[in-house]
Amino acid sequence: MKTSLPSLQLLFIRVDSYLPDIFLSTDTSQVDFYSRIYLHPFYKMKTNTVIRWMSLLSIWMWTGEGQIFQPELTSNAFLAKVTSNTVILKQPYCVFNQTCPGCEIWLVAGLCSAKGTFDALVNSSTPNILSLSPYPTAFNPSSNNFFLTRVGLLSDFPCNQNPNDQYFVVGADGICSGVNCNGVLPDGSTVCFKYLLIDANGTLVNSSDWSGNITLPKLLALNTISDGLSARSGAMVVITTILCVAAALLLLLFLIMLCVTCCTKKDGKKISVMNSIRIPRYDTHNLKERVHPYDNPAYQPDLKNYSTSSTLPRDGARKL
Amino acid sequence: MGAGAVTCLMFVVVALNAIAAAAGLALFAVAIWVAVDGYKLYPISGVSGKDDIFAAAWIAIFTGFAFFLTCIFGIFAALKRSRALMLVYLIIMFIIFLFECASAITAATNRDYLVGNSNFVKKQMLQYYGQDSTQGKQITQTWNRVMEQVECCGADSPEDWMLYNSTLKQIYPTYNWPLSCCKRLSTFELQNPAGCKVGLTSTLFTKGCFNYIESVLSRYTWAVSWYGFSVLMLVVSLDVF
């Protein structure tokens, strides 16, 4: 139930009674200074508009100051303001303006789809609201989908204070088993909140509006993180290709070298170095004139030193 | 071939062998540094069985030392001018070359798998942090140390703990992230336990730990991989001579 209208009228009266006091002063020097201003015709015309603007300003300040009628998210930039199963709300300063000794403020937390259910239950004036929907079974499939939890005494949240650094965590008790414990909300649901004013006997005195819809993010499962190979870095590609190419090159070089050493050794067996034993040498191949397989031209000059020309053939073509 | 050219060639070969021996010894030392794991991040690769960076470091220890010995043998063979010894030297060098190739390629490839992006590290952290198994304890210890020393939380940010289901959330449902994420005083007490629990940004670390982990594992990998690569290029130039 809104209590704003009577207080607005009160506000008007108060502001109007304030303003003349501000401008009146008992100090004579100040009076002289001000009288010069006040008695200026332009200023006299302006005072009415000034009064109007100041009263409007005061109204805006008043409504922005903390007269909230519904639960709201905290204005601090907490990282965990809205998690998958908890919510951080402002504390209920100045929600209920009436004096009610021993009254307590309770919070109704539930799925937004259960707003109608709760309102209907309250209107049908059930005797004990507080045990309507105990927390452990509150969010079962066929249950009421809301629960009530205690926030604090009404006297702890007066209107003249509104510290912004205070907060109330819905879900602070984790998965608990009490009837009215502050348990976690269902993962990923859309939740709405409402404040209730309950007196010492357990009867409902007043209630605020429902809050706006607050959607909780759904908790993602671990297997949604794909931890396969993401990308190959450039360095890895460079190292792999250059090393493989180098290994192949080395192998090739190695094989070529092996081939070269093996082949030259085989040819060497055929060439007979000059020796002192004079043996006839036979031509076993059908050769043309120009080829000299048994004479090594590099050692030709040594022929004269080591043998007489009559015993050894000069070239294989001219047979003995 | 003139005698001068042969002497010059032999001098070059001996000099290159000496340089390669020194490089092999340095590779041996660097690979020991990687295997010892001064940053104590082995569990991050070991728990999931992908510790090939450290396996490559072990191979590099052996090949580095083998390079050193073989190059000294090569100097000896070059001075003796024996063809058979040079052949043996080249064969041994080629075998060690192949092993070092394997080590360098393994280290580089495994690094891409582990820290190419933050998914692998993040998933492992969410799965094993707080778990009661041996792997869980190792991961918990490693992450606690990293988060406290490097002043970071989670893989990319504390939001990792809130977005995904994790072992920590199952065991401690009221805690949004581990206490190691909170800023501490010099007496190791928490600076502001209530503020850290709700996420007041001045009371907890908001940057992610992935950059640090990635830089350390990359440092290990490039030590083994690039250094091995440079030693191998030296050996290739040696063999061509």
PDB file of all heavy atoms in Angstrom, chain A residues 78-80 172 219-220 222 225-226 230 232-233 236 239 242-243 251 254 257, chain B residues 87 91 94 109 112 117 119 162-165 174 176 198-199 225 229 232:
ATOM      1  N   PHE A  78      29.241  -5.735  -7.345  1.00  0.00           N
ATOM      2  CA  PHE A  78      29.804  -6.994  -6.877  1.00  0.00           C
ATOM      3  C   PHE A  78      29.887  -7.968  -8.045  1.00  0.00           C
ATOM      4  O   PHE A  78      29.007  -8.015  -8.890  1.00  0.00           O
ATOM      5  CB  PHE A  78      28.910  -7.613  -5.799  1.00  0.00           C
ATOM      6  CG  PHE A  78      28.886  -6.845  -4.516  1.00  0.00           C
ATOM      7  CD1 PHE A  78      27.729  -6.750  -3.776  1.00  0.00           C
ATOM      8  CD2 PHE A  78      30.028  -6.221  -4.018  1.00  0.00           C
ATOM      9  CE1 PHE A  78      27.690  -6.063  -2.577  1.00  0.00           C
ATOM     10  CE2 PHE A  78      29.996  -5.532  -2.824  1.00  0.00           C
ATOM     11  CZ  PHE A  78      28.824  -5.455  -2.107  1.00  0.00           C
ATOM     12  N   LEU A  79      30.923  -8.776  -8.059  1.00  0.00           N
ATOM     13  CA  LEU A  79      31.048  -9.762  -9.122  1.00  0.00           C
ATOM     14  C   LEU A  79      29.967 -10.827  -9.011  1.00  0.00           C
ATOM     15  O   LEU A  79      29.523 -11.378  -9.992  1.00  0.00           O
ATOM     16  CB  LEU A  79      32.424 -10.440  -9.055  1.00  0.00           C
ATOM     17  CG  LEU A  79      33.589  -9.635  -9.589  1.00  0.00           C
ATOM     18  CD1 LEU A  79      34.871 -10.416  -9.393  1.00  0.00           C
ATOM     19  CD2 LEU A  79      33.403  -9.328 -11.044  1.00  0.00           C
ATOM     20  N   ALA A  80      29.561 -11.114  -7.783  1.00  0.00           N
ATOM     21  CA  ALA A  80      28.592 -12.191  -7.580  1.00  0.00           C
ATOM     22  C   ALA A  80      27.197 -11.637  -7.350  1.00  0.00           C
ATOM     23  O   ALA A  80      26.416 -12.218  -6.611  1.00  0.00           O
ATOM     24  CB  ALA A  80      29.019 -13.045  -6.391  1.00  0.00           C
ATOM     25  N   ALA A 172      22.314 -17.512   0.997  1.00  0.00           N
ATOM     26  CA  ALA A 172      23.563 -17.547   1.749  1.00  0.00           C
ATOM     27  C   ALA A 172      23.733 -18.842   2.522  1.00  0.00           C
ATOM     28  O   ALA A 172      24.860 -19.213   2.847  1.00  0.00           O
ATOM     29  CB  ALA A 172      23.632 -16.352   2.686  1.00  0.00           C
ATOM     30  N   LEU A 219      23.917 -22.669 -15.158  1.00  0.00           N
ATOM     31  CA  LEU A 219      25.260 -23.186 -14.920  1.00  0.00           C
ATOM     32  C   LEU A 219      25.633 -24.125 -16.061  1.00  0.00           C
ATOM     33  O   LEU A 219      24.896 -25.028 -16.405  1.00  0.00           O
ATOM     34  CB  LEU A 219      25.249 -23.952 -13.601  1.00  0.00           C
ATOM     35  CG  LEU A 219      26.561 -24.070 -12.843  1.00  0.00           C
ATOM     36  CD1 LEU A 219      27.101 -22.716 -12.523  1.00  0.00           C
ATOM     37  CD2 LEU A 219      26.322 -24.852 -11.588  1.00  0.00           C
ATOM     38  N   LEU A 220      26.822 -23.886 -16.665  1.00  0.00           N
ATOM     39  CA  LEU A 220      27.216 -24.719 -17.802  1.00  0.00           C
ATOM     40  C   LEU A 220      27.954 -25.954 -17.303  1.00  0.00           C
ATOM     41  O   LEU A 220      28.718 -25.889 -16.354  1.00  0.00           O
ATOM     42  CB  LEU A 220      28.137 -23.917 -18.724  1.00  0.00           C
ATOM     43  CG  LEU A 220      27.504 -22.663 -19.314  1.00  0.00           C
ATOM     44  CD1 LEU A 220      28.548 -21.818 -19.994  1.00  0.00           C
ATOM     45  CD2 LEU A 220      26.430 -23.049 -20.303  1.00  0.00           C
ATOM     46  N   LEU A 222      30.727 -29.030 -17.456  1.00  0.00           N
ATOM     47  CA  LEU A 222      32.149 -28.985 -17.801  1.00  0.00           C
ATOM     48  C   LEU A 222      32.423 -29.513 -19.189  1.00  0.00           C
ATOM     49  O   LEU A 222      33.378 -29.097 -19.839  1.00  0.00           O
ATOM     50  CB  LEU A 222      32.960 -29.813 -16.795  1.00  0.00           C
ATOM     51  CG  LEU A 222      33.365 -29.079 -15.544  1.00  0.00           C
ATOM     52  CD1 LEU A 222      34.233 -29.975 -14.688  1.00  0.00           C
ATOM     53  CD2 LEU A 222      34.114 -27.818 -15.890  1.00  0.00           C
ATOM     54  N   ILE A 225      33.148 -27.269 -22.304  1.00  0.00           N
ATOM     55  CA  ILE A 225      34.450 -26.662 -22.601  1.00  0.00           C
ATOM     56  C   ILE A 225      35.178 -27.631 -23.524  1.00  0.00           C
ATOM     57  O   ILE A 225      35.459 -28.755 -23.144  1.00  0.00           O
ATOM     58  CB  ILE A 225      35.289 -26.458 -21.333  1.00  0.00           C
ATOM     59  CG1 ILE A 225      34.503 -25.707 -20.283  1.00  0.00           C
ATOM     60  CG2 ILE A 225      36.551 -25.691 -21.663  1.00  0.00           C
ATOM     61  CD1 ILE A 225      35.294 -25.506 -19.011  1.00  0.00           C
ATOM     62  N   SER A 226      35.492 -27.208 -24.734  1.00  0.00           N
ATOM     63  CA  SER A 226      36.172 -28.106 -25.658  1.00  0.00           C
ATOM     64  C   SER A 226      37.667 -27.909 -25.487  1.00  0.00           C
ATOM     65  O   SER A 226      38.210 -26.854 -25.809  1.00  0.00           O
ATOM     66  CB  SER A 226      35.752 -27.797 -27.083  1.00  0.00           C
ATOM     67  OG  SER A 226      36.164 -26.498 -27.430  1.00  0.00           O
ATOM     68  N   SER A 230      43.624 -26.497 -30.119  1.00  0.00           N
ATOM     69  CA  SER A 230      42.959 -25.289 -30.604  1.00  0.00           C
ATOM     70  C   SER A 230      43.572 -24.817 -31.911  1.00  0.00           C
ATOM     71  O   SER A 230      42.899 -24.666 -32.900  1.00  0.00           O
ATOM     72  CB  SER A 230      43.083 -24.189 -29.559  1.00  0.00           C
ATOM     73  OG  SER A 230      44.448 -24.005 -29.245  1.00  0.00           O
ATOM     74  N   ARG A 232      47.581 -24.657 -34.124  1.00  0.00           N
ATOM     75  CA  ARG A 232      49.017 -24.919 -34.078  1.00  0.00           C
ATOM     76  C   ARG A 232      49.743 -23.580 -34.179  1.00  0.00           C
ATOM     77  O   ARG A 232      49.471 -22.786 -35.055  1.00  0.00           O
ATOM     78  CB  ARG A 232      49.413 -25.826 -35.230  1.00  0.00           C
ATOM     79  CG  ARG A 232      48.724 -27.145 -35.148  1.00  0.00           C
ATOM     80  CD  ARG A 232      49.264 -28.137 -36.148  1.00  0.00           C
ATOM     81  NE  ARG A 232      48.424 -29.306 -36.197  1.00  0.00           N
ATOM     82  CZ  ARG A 232      48.458 -30.298 -35.315  1.00  0.00           C
ATOM     83  NH1 ARG A 232      49.296 -30.254 -34.328  1.00  0.00           N
ATOM     84  NH2 ARG A 232      47.650 -31.314 -35.409  1.00  0.00           N
ATOM     85  N   SER A 233      50.701 -23.387 -33.310  1.00  0.00           N
ATOM     86  CA  SER A 233      51.415 -22.116 -33.351  1.00  0.00           C
ATOM     87  C   SER A 233      52.383 -22.123 -34.527  1.00  0.00           C
ATOM     88  O   SER A 233      52.822 -23.176 -34.990  1.00  0.00           O
ATOM     89  CB  SER A 233      52.172 -21.902 -32.051  1.00  0.00           C
ATOM     90  OG  SER A 233      53.112 -22.926 -31.883  1.00  0.00           O
ATOM     91  N   MET A 236      55.784 -23.929 -34.014  1.00  0.00           N
ATOM     92  CA  MET A 236      55.781 -25.395 -34.076  1.00  0.00           C
ATOM     93  C   MET A 236      55.846 -25.866 -35.522  1.00  0.00           C
ATOM     94  O   MET A 236      56.560 -26.805 -35.861  1.00  0.00           O
ATOM     95  CB  MET A 236      54.519 -25.906 -33.382  1.00  0.00           C
ATOM     96  CG  MET A 236      54.337 -27.379 -33.460  1.00  0.00           C
ATOM     97  SD  MET A 236      52.912 -27.721 -34.419  1.00  0.00           S
ATOM     98  CE  MET A 236      53.252 -29.374 -34.901  1.00  0.00           C
ATOM     99  N   ILE A 239      59.446 -25.252 -36.856  1.00  0.00           N
ATOM    100  CA  ILE A 239      60.414 -26.212 -36.322  1.00  0.00           C
ATOM    101  C   ILE A 239      60.230 -27.570 -36.980  1.00  0.00           C
ATOM    102  O   ILE A 239      61.184 -28.205 -37.427  1.00  0.00           O
ATOM    103  CB  ILE A 239      60.264 -26.315 -34.790  1.00  0.00           C
ATOM    104  CG1 ILE A 239      60.765 -25.052 -34.120  1.00  0.00           C
ATOM    105  CG2 ILE A 239      61.025 -27.512 -34.255  1.00  0.00           C
ATOM    106  CD1 ILE A 239      60.582 -25.058 -32.630  1.00  0.00           C
ATOM    107  N   ILE A 242      61.212 -27.540 -40.914  1.00  0.00           N
ATOM    108  CA  ILE A 242      62.639 -27.366 -41.190  1.00  0.00           C
ATOM    109  C   ILE A 242      63.439 -28.567 -40.688  1.00  0.00           C
ATOM    110  O   ILE A 242      64.358 -29.040 -41.361  1.00  0.00           O
ATOM    111  CB  ILE A 242      63.156 -26.052 -40.585  1.00  0.00           C
ATOM    112  CG1 ILE A 242      62.493 -24.870 -41.276  1.00  0.00           C
ATOM    113  CG2 ILE A 242      64.665 -25.956 -40.713  1.00  0.00           C
ATOM    114  CD1 ILE A 242      62.983 -23.536 -40.831  1.00  0.00           C
ATOM    115  N   LEU A 243      63.043 -29.091 -39.524  1.00  0.00           N
ATOM    116  CA  LEU A 243      63.770 -30.255 -39.008  1.00  0.00           C
ATOM    117  C   LEU A 243      63.552 -31.473 -39.883  1.00  0.00           C
ATOM    118  O   LEU A 243      64.498 -32.225 -40.157  1.00  0.00           O
ATOM    119  CB  LEU A 243      63.336 -30.552 -37.574  1.00  0.00           C
ATOM    120  CG  LEU A 243      63.949 -29.645 -36.525  1.00  0.00           C
ATOM    121  CD1 LEU A 243      63.514 -30.064 -35.150  1.00  0.00           C
ATOM    122  CD2 LEU A 243      65.453 -29.675 -36.615  1.00  0.00           C
ATOM    123  N   LEU A 251      69.977 -37.428 -44.583  1.00  0.00           N
ATOM    124  CA  LEU A 251      69.896 -38.835 -44.975  1.00  0.00           C
ATOM    125  C   LEU A 251      70.332 -39.003 -46.415  1.00  0.00           C
ATOM    126  O   LEU A 251      71.109 -39.916 -46.767  1.00  0.00           O
ATOM    127  CB  LEU A 251      68.455 -39.330 -44.779  1.00  0.00           C
ATOM    128  CG  LEU A 251      68.252 -40.841 -44.878  1.00  0.00           C
ATOM    129  CD1 LEU A 251      69.003 -41.521 -43.759  1.00  0.00           C
ATOM    130  CD2 LEU A 251      66.781 -41.178 -44.816  1.00  0.00           C
ATOM    131  N   PHE A 254      73.986 -38.542 -46.739  1.00  0.00           N
ATOM    132  CA  PHE A 254      74.628 -39.720 -46.165  1.00  0.00           C
ATOM    133  C   PHE A 254      74.629 -40.870 -47.145  1.00  0.00           C
ATOM    134  O   PHE A 254      75.647 -41.538 -47.375  1.00  0.00           O
ATOM    135  CB  PHE A 254      73.874 -40.084 -44.888  1.00  0.00           C
ATOM    136  CG  PHE A 254      74.566 -41.084 -44.050  1.00  0.00           C
ATOM    137  CD1 PHE A 254      75.800 -40.816 -43.490  1.00  0.00           C
ATOM    138  CD2 PHE A 254      73.972 -42.317 -43.804  1.00  0.00           C
ATOM    139  CE1 PHE A 254      76.435 -41.744 -42.715  1.00  0.00           C
ATOM    140  CE2 PHE A 254      74.605 -43.240 -43.015  1.00  0.00           C
ATOM    141  CZ  PHE A 254      75.836 -42.964 -42.471  1.00  0.00           C
ATOM    142  N   MET A 257      76.942 -40.220 -50.003  1.00  0.00           N
ATOM    143  CA  MET A 257      78.330 -40.423 -49.589  1.00  0.00           C
ATOM    144  C   MET A 257      78.677 -41.896 -49.529  1.00  0.00           C
ATOM    145  O   MET A 257      79.750 -42.334 -49.962  1.00  0.00           O
ATOM    146  CB  MET A 257      78.546 -39.777 -48.236  1.00  0.00           C
ATOM    147  CG  MET A 257      79.834 -39.020 -48.139  1.00  0.00           C
ATOM    148  SD  MET A 257      80.185 -38.623 -46.451  1.00  0.00           S
ATOM    149  CE  MET A 257      80.107 -40.216 -45.712  1.00  0.00           C
TER     150      MET A 257
ATOM    151  N   LEU B  87      83.345 -41.959 -40.763  1.00  0.00           N
ATOM    152  CA  LEU B  87      82.080 -42.588 -41.143  1.00  0.00           C
ATOM    153  C   LEU B  87      81.281 -42.954 -39.894  1.00  0.00           C
ATOM    154  O   LEU B  87      80.071 -42.716 -39.815  1.00  0.00           O
ATOM    155  CB  LEU B  87      82.370 -43.843 -41.975  1.00  0.00           C
ATOM    156  CG  LEU B  87      81.324 -44.173 -43.032  1.00  0.00           C
ATOM    157  CD1 LEU B  87      81.177 -43.043 -44.018  1.00  0.00           C
ATOM    158  CD2 LEU B  87      81.709 -45.448 -43.741  1.00  0.00           C
ATOM    159  N   ILE B  91      77.608 -41.516 -38.695  1.00  0.00           N
ATOM    160  CA  ILE B  91      76.444 -42.366 -38.421  1.00  0.00           C
ATOM    161  C   ILE B  91      75.879 -42.051 -37.042  1.00  0.00           C
ATOM    162  O   ILE B  91      74.674 -41.866 -36.855  1.00  0.00           O
ATOM    163  CB  ILE B  91      76.830 -43.866 -38.516  1.00  0.00           C
ATOM    164  CG1 ILE B  91      77.131 -44.221 -39.966  1.00  0.00           C
ATOM    165  CG2 ILE B  91      75.716 -44.743 -37.982  1.00  0.00           C
ATOM    166  CD1 ILE B  91      77.638 -45.627 -40.141  1.00  0.00           C
ATOM    167  N   PHE B  94      74.108 -38.793 -36.943  1.00  0.00           N
ATOM    168  CA  PHE B  94      72.809 -38.831 -37.591  1.00  0.00           C
ATOM    169  C   PHE B  94      71.754 -39.413 -36.656  1.00  0.00           C
ATOM    170  O   PHE B  94      70.621 -38.932 -36.581  1.00  0.00           O
ATOM    171  CB  PHE B  94      72.903 -39.637 -38.885  1.00  0.00           C
ATOM    172  CG  PHE B  94      71.650 -39.606 -39.680  1.00  0.00           C
ATOM    173  CD1 PHE B  94      71.208 -38.431 -40.255  1.00  0.00           C
ATOM    174  CD2 PHE B  94      70.876 -40.745 -39.830  1.00  0.00           C
ATOM    175  CE1 PHE B  94      70.038 -38.388 -40.979  1.00  0.00           C
ATOM    176  CE2 PHE B  94      69.703 -40.703 -40.563  1.00  0.00           C
ATOM    177  CZ  PHE B  94      69.284 -39.519 -41.146  1.00  0.00           C
ATOM    178  N   THR B 109      54.800 -29.407 -30.172  1.00  0.00           N
ATOM    179  CA  THR B 109      53.426 -29.842 -30.400  1.00  0.00           C
ATOM    180  C   THR B 109      52.645 -29.934 -29.092  1.00  0.00           C
ATOM    181  O   THR B 109      51.492 -29.507 -29.006  1.00  0.00           O
ATOM    182  CB  THR B 109      53.420 -31.216 -31.077  1.00  0.00           C
ATOM    183  OG1 THR B 109      54.336 -31.202 -32.152  1.00  0.00           O
ATOM    184  CG2 THR B 109      52.051 -31.582 -31.571  1.00  0.00           C
ATOM    185  N   ASP B 112      51.426 -26.610 -27.748  1.00  0.00           N
ATOM    186  CA  ASP B 112      50.213 -26.108 -28.403  1.00  0.00           C
ATOM    187  C   ASP B 112      48.978 -26.747 -27.813  1.00  0.00           C
ATOM    188  O   ASP B 112      47.940 -26.109 -27.666  1.00  0.00           O
ATOM    189  CB  ASP B 112      50.260 -26.419 -29.907  1.00  0.00           C
ATOM    190  CG  ASP B 112      51.166 -25.475 -30.644  1.00  0.00           C
ATOM    191  OD1 ASP B 112      51.581 -24.483 -30.036  1.00  0.00           O
ATOM    192  OD2 ASP B 112      51.457 -25.739 -31.808  1.00  0.00           O
ATOM    193  N   ASN B 117      45.004 -22.407 -26.025  1.00  0.00           N
ATOM    194  CA  ASN B 117      44.068 -21.438 -25.446  1.00  0.00           C
ATOM    195  C   ASN B 117      43.773 -21.898 -24.026  1.00  0.00           C
ATOM    196  O   ASN B 117      44.286 -22.923 -23.591  1.00  0.00           O
ATOM    197  CB  ASN B 117      42.797 -21.307 -26.284  1.00  0.00           C
ATOM    198  CG  ASN B 117      42.057 -22.608 -26.411  1.00  0.00           C
ATOM    199  OD1 ASN B 117      42.356 -23.568 -25.714  1.00  0.00           O
ATOM    200  ND2 ASN B 117      41.087 -22.647 -27.290  1.00  0.00           N
ATOM    201  N   ASN B 119      41.268 -23.192 -22.562  1.00  0.00           N
ATOM    202  CA  ASN B 119      40.227 -24.167 -22.259  1.00  0.00           C
ATOM    203  C   ASN B 119      40.736 -25.368 -21.479  1.00  0.00           C
ATOM    204  O   ASN B 119      40.100 -25.817 -20.522  1.00  0.00           O
ATOM    205  CB  ASN B 119      39.584 -24.672 -23.559  1.00  0.00           C
ATOM    206  CG  ASN B 119      38.654 -23.646 -24.141  1.00  0.00           C
ATOM    207  OD1 ASN B 119      38.386 -22.637 -23.518  1.00  0.00           O
ATOM    208  ND2 ASN B 119      38.164 -23.893 -25.333  1.00  0.00           N
ATOM    209  N   MET B 162      32.081 -19.011 -11.656  1.00  0.00           N
ATOM    210  CA  MET B 162      30.632 -18.795 -11.564  1.00  0.00           C
ATOM    211  C   MET B 162      29.894 -19.357 -12.768  1.00  0.00           C
ATOM    212  O   MET B 162      28.755 -19.765 -12.666  1.00  0.00           O
ATOM    213  CB  MET B 162      30.344 -17.300 -11.459  1.00  0.00           C
ATOM    214  CG  MET B 162      30.822 -16.717 -10.157  1.00  0.00           C
ATOM    215  SD  MET B 162      29.995 -15.210  -9.738  1.00  0.00           S
ATOM    216  CE  MET B 162      30.543 -14.159 -11.043  1.00  0.00           C
ATOM    217  N   LEU B 163      30.559 -19.368 -13.935  1.00  0.00           N
ATOM    218  CA  LEU B 163      29.838 -19.776 -15.140  1.00  0.00           C
ATOM    219  C   LEU B 163      29.673 -21.284 -15.231  1.00  0.00           C
ATOM    220  O   LEU B 163      28.708 -21.767 -15.796  1.00  0.00           O
ATOM    221  CB  LEU B 163      30.610 -19.309 -16.378  1.00  0.00           C
ATOM    222  CG  LEU B 163      30.527 -17.842 -16.733  1.00  0.00           C
ATOM    223  CD1 LEU B 163      31.482 -17.553 -17.869  1.00  0.00           C
ATOM    224  CD2 LEU B 163      29.122 -17.497 -17.140  1.00  0.00           C
ATOM    225  N   TYR B 164      30.655 -22.020 -14.728  1.00  0.00           N
ATOM    226  CA  TYR B 164      30.670 -23.462 -14.951  1.00  0.00           C
ATOM    227  C   TYR B 164      30.452 -24.217 -13.669  1.00  0.00           C
ATOM    228  O   TYR B 164      30.841 -23.783 -12.596  1.00  0.00           O
ATOM    229  CB  TYR B 164      32.004 -23.889 -15.553  1.00  0.00           C
ATOM    230  CG  TYR B 164      32.239 -23.335 -16.932  1.00  0.00           C
ATOM    231  CD1 TYR B 164      32.999 -22.190 -17.114  1.00  0.00           C
ATOM    232  CD2 TYR B 164      31.697 -23.946 -18.044  1.00  0.00           C
ATOM    233  CE1 TYR B 164      33.201 -21.678 -18.364  1.00  0.00           C
ATOM    234  CE2 TYR B 164      31.915 -23.441 -19.312  1.00  0.00           C
ATOM    235  CZ  TYR B 164      32.663 -22.308 -19.457  1.00  0.00           C
ATOM    236  OH  TYR B 164      32.873 -21.802 -20.707  1.00  0.00           O
ATOM    237  N   ASN B 165      29.866 -25.398 -13.817  1.00  0.00           N
ATOM    238  CA  ASN B 165      29.751 -26.322 -12.710  1.00  0.00           C
ATOM    239  C   ASN B 165      31.152 -26.825 -12.371  1.00  0.00           C
ATOM    240  O   ASN B 165      31.956 -27.054 -13.262  1.00  0.00           O
ATOM    241  CB  ASN B 165      28.861 -27.494 -13.154  1.00  0.00           C
ATOM    242  CG  ASN B 165      28.403 -28.307 -11.988  1.00  0.00           C
ATOM    243  OD1 ASN B 165      28.645 -27.946 -10.843  1.00  0.00           O
ATOM    244  ND2 ASN B 165      27.728 -29.397 -12.262  1.00  0.00           N
ATOM    245  N   THR B 174      28.316 -22.625  -0.937  1.00  0.00           N
ATOM    246  CA  THR B 174      28.174 -21.221  -0.587  1.00  0.00           C
ATOM    247  C   THR B 174      29.357 -20.381  -1.044  1.00  0.00           C
ATOM    248  O   THR B 174      29.287 -19.165  -1.005  1.00  0.00           O
ATOM    249  CB  THR B 174      28.036 -21.051   0.930  1.00  0.00           C
ATOM    250  OG1 THR B 174      29.093 -21.786   1.548  1.00  0.00           O
ATOM    251  CG2 THR B 174      26.710 -21.565   1.403  1.00  0.00           C
ATOM    252  N   ASN B 176      31.681 -18.909  -3.902  1.00  0.00           N
ATOM    253  CA  ASN B 176      31.679 -18.703  -5.344  1.00  0.00           C
ATOM    254  C   ASN B 176      33.020 -19.022  -5.971  1.00  0.00           C
ATOM    255  O   ASN B 176      33.094 -19.382  -7.131  1.00  0.00           O
ATOM    256  CB  ASN B 176      31.323 -17.251  -5.668  1.00  0.00           C
ATOM    257  CG  ASN B 176      29.854 -16.996  -5.484  1.00  0.00           C
ATOM    258  OD1 ASN B 176      29.029 -17.790  -5.928  1.00  0.00           O
ATOM    259  ND2 ASN B 176      29.519 -15.930  -4.816  1.00  0.00           N
ATOM    260  N   VAL B 198      31.355 -11.933  -1.653  1.00  0.00           N
ATOM    261  CA  VAL B 198      30.360 -11.409  -2.593  1.00  0.00           C
ATOM    262  C   VAL B 198      30.987 -10.857  -3.857  1.00  0.00           C
ATOM    263  O   VAL B 198      30.287 -10.577  -4.812  1.00  0.00           O
ATOM    264  CB  VAL B 198      29.498 -10.302  -1.967  1.00  0.00           C
ATOM    265  CG1 VAL B 198      28.580 -10.878  -0.943  1.00  0.00           C
ATOM    266  CG2 VAL B 198      30.336  -9.208  -1.382  1.00  0.00           C
ATOM    267  N   GLY B 199      32.300 -10.663  -3.845  1.00  0.00           N
ATOM    268  CA  GLY B 199      32.917 -10.229  -5.086  1.00  0.00           C
ATOM    269  C   GLY B 199      33.183  -8.747  -5.171  1.00  0.00           C
ATOM    270  O   GLY B 199      33.137  -8.182  -6.256  1.00  0.00           O
ATOM    271  N   SER B 225      62.927 -26.689 -27.387  1.00  0.00           N
ATOM    272  CA  SER B 225      62.636 -26.796 -28.809  1.00  0.00           C
ATOM    273  C   SER B 225      63.541 -25.905 -29.661  1.00  0.00           C
ATOM    274  O   SER B 225      64.231 -26.366 -30.555  1.00  0.00           O
ATOM    275  CB  SER B 225      61.177 -26.394 -29.015  1.00  0.00           C
ATOM    276  OG  SER B 225      60.626 -27.077 -30.074  1.00  0.00           O
ATOM    277  N   PHE B 229      66.698 -26.942 -31.875  1.00  0.00           N
ATOM    278  CA  PHE B 229      66.680 -26.619 -33.300  1.00  0.00           C
ATOM    279  C   PHE B 229      67.969 -25.937 -33.722  1.00  0.00           C
ATOM    280  O   PHE B 229      68.561 -26.282 -34.749  1.00  0.00           O
ATOM    281  CB  PHE B 229      65.471 -25.718 -33.569  1.00  0.00           C
ATOM    282  CG  PHE B 229      65.321 -25.273 -34.976  1.00  0.00           C
ATOM    283  CD1 PHE B 229      64.847 -26.129 -35.947  1.00  0.00           C
ATOM    284  CD2 PHE B 229      65.656 -23.984 -35.340  1.00  0.00           C
ATOM    285  CE1 PHE B 229      64.692 -25.713 -37.252  1.00  0.00           C
ATOM    286  CE2 PHE B 229      65.502 -23.567 -36.640  1.00  0.00           C
ATOM    287  CZ  PHE B 229      65.026 -24.428 -37.606  1.00  0.00           C
ATOM    288  N   LEU B 232      70.767 -28.350 -33.849  1.00  0.00           N
ATOM    289  CA  LEU B 232      70.663 -29.237 -35.001  1.00  0.00           C
ATOM    290  C   LEU B 232      71.082 -28.539 -36.282  1.00  0.00           C
ATOM    291  O   LEU B 232      71.699 -29.156 -37.155  1.00  0.00           O
ATOM    292  CB  LEU B 232      69.223 -29.738 -35.121  1.00  0.00           C
ATOM    293  CG  LEU B 232      68.841 -30.743 -34.050  1.00  0.00           C
ATOM    294  CD1 LEU B 232      67.390 -31.116 -34.186  1.00  0.00           C
ATOM    295  CD2 LEU B 232      69.696 -31.964 -34.128  1.00  0.00           C
TER     296      LEU B 232
END
